[in-house]
Amino acid sequence: MTEQMFDRAEVERLVNTYSDLILRVSYTYLKSTHDAQDICQTVFLKLLTTRQKFDSPEHEKAWMIRAATNACKDFLGSAWRSRTCGIEACAEIPAPEAEDGSLLAALNMLPEKYRMVIYLHYYEGYSAREIAKILGENAATIGTRLFRGRKQLGVMLEGELI
C-alpha cells in the first residue's frame, strides 16, 4: 500500500461519503445498529492507519465495502463476542423493524451469503462480477447466490401474499 497522508477535508469527505454505506452493509451482516456503528469506526480507523491510496472512486467504494465485510466477519468470529453479553441485550431499544411481508423483512431472513449479494446487487447497484471482486469470490458463485437468493425471496414473499 502506498503511503498517503489524509488532511482534515479528505477525512471529512470520506466520512460523509461512505459512513451510511458502511453502516448499511454492516447492519446487513450483524443486524445490530450499535455493532454496525462500531464496524464503521473500525473501517475508518483502518483507512487512516493503513494510508490506503485509491486509483478511482470505484476502487475507493469497493475498498470500503470490502473492509466493512471483513470487519463484520472478524467481529462475528471473535472469541470476545462469544464470551460476552452486552448490557444492550437487556435494555436495548430495537431498531425499527421492517413490516411483515415487506421485501426488507424477507431479505433479512435470508442466509447471510444470499443477503449480502442481493443487497449489493439491488441496493448498491453492483454487477455479479463487481460483487465477486469486492467479496473475493468467483463470479459464477455470486451468480448462483443471486439466483438462489432471489428464488428464496420469491418463495418467502409468495407465501406472504397468499
Side-chain angles (χ1 to χ4, degrees), residues 87-99:
I87 195 166
E88 68 274 355
C90 299
E92 181 177 292
I93 298 172
E97 294 293 322
E99 290 182 26

Side-chain angles (χ1 to χ4, degrees), residues 59-137:
H59 178 225
E60 185 176 86
K61 186 176 181 182
W63 187 93
M64 296 291 183
I65 292 170
R66 183 68 184 254
T69 57
N70 286 342
C72 288
K73 289 176 186 177
D74 290 346
F75 177 79
L76 289 172
S78 71
W80 175 85
R81 183 177 179 268
S82 65
R83 287 183 270 157
T84 60
C85 177
I87 195 166
E88 68 274 355
C90 299
E92 181 177 292
I93 298 172
E97 294 293 322
E99 290 182 26
D100 288 340
S102 73
L103 181 59
L104 184 58
L107 179 65
N108 285 333
M109 292 188 329
L110 285 176
E112 181 271 320
K113 65 182 180 180
Y114 301 134
R115 187 173 60 239
M116 184 52 60
V117 296
I118 287 176
Y119 173 80
L120 289 173
H121 183 71
Y122 290 104
Y123 286 85
E124 296 300 329
Y126 283 102
S127 70
R129 183 168 284 156
E130 291 169 327
I131 295 168
K133 193 173 182 181
I134 290 169
L135 298 179
E137 299 279 352

